[in-house]
Amino acid sequence: WFVTRVEVLGVQGRFKRAADLTFISPPPLSNRHVRLCGFAVDGLDEDDCVLIISRDLRDSDGFVPLADENSAHRRAVRARVHYSMFELKPKSPGITKVRLIANSDPNVRSPRWTSRPLATL
């Protein structure tokens, strides 16, 4: 429900993808968008899980880059994903345990605080 737009930018092989995603941010923040390059590792036979690993899309990844300023992102702020990993582990039909590990920069600026001297007693 928090993803408002997904555009697949390219596919390389069976498990590698590049995508552009826009996420809803809570007010008063603007929405965020990321461009990711990711791949999946099917370990269901060995480890009973599937891993999805992603990071920011780079020019060296071999996908056609998009211009940063297109109409879909005019009101969204670019966030950075240094890396992310999803572990999907099926538990029973219709139930999957999901574990997420990520290092990202949502590009949220902190308000400027001015320091005032404490009143002396």
Side-chain angles (χ1 to χ4, degrees), residues 1 10 12-13 15-16 20 26-27 29 35 38 59-60 63 65 68 73 80 83 91-92 97 112-113 118:
W1 59 267
Q12 291 179 358
F15 296 110
K16 188 173 180 182
D20 191 87
L29 300 176
R35 290 198 178 125
D59 289 338
S60 61
F63 293 100
D68 265 340
H73 299 306
R80 302 289 177 188
Y83 63 84
K91 292 298 184 181
S92 62
K97 178 182 176 183
R112 288 189 173 192
W113 298 100
L118 296 174

Side-chain angles (χ1 to χ4, degrees), residues 3 24 27 33 35-38 42 44 46 50 55 60 80 117:
V3 178
I24 293 174
H33 80 95
R35 290 198 178 125
L36 298 176
C37 177
D42 181 356
L44 287 172
E46 298 85 12
V50 172
R55 61 162 166 71
S60 61
R80 302 289 177 188

Side-chain angles (χ1 to χ4, degrees), residues 89-102:
K89 194 168 211 167
K91 292 298 184 181
S92 62
I95 297 176
T96 300
K97 178 182 176 183
V98 178
R99 185 171 19 179
L100 166 66
I101 299 170

Side-chain angles (χ1 to χ4, degrees), residues 13-35:
R14 186 172 172 197
F15 296 110
K16 188 173 180 182
R17 307 276 190 274
D20 191 87
L21 300 93
T22 303
F23 298 89
I24 293 174
S25 294
L29 300 176
S30 299
N31 290 346
R32 297 294 187 259
H33 80 95
V34 295
R35 290 198 178 125

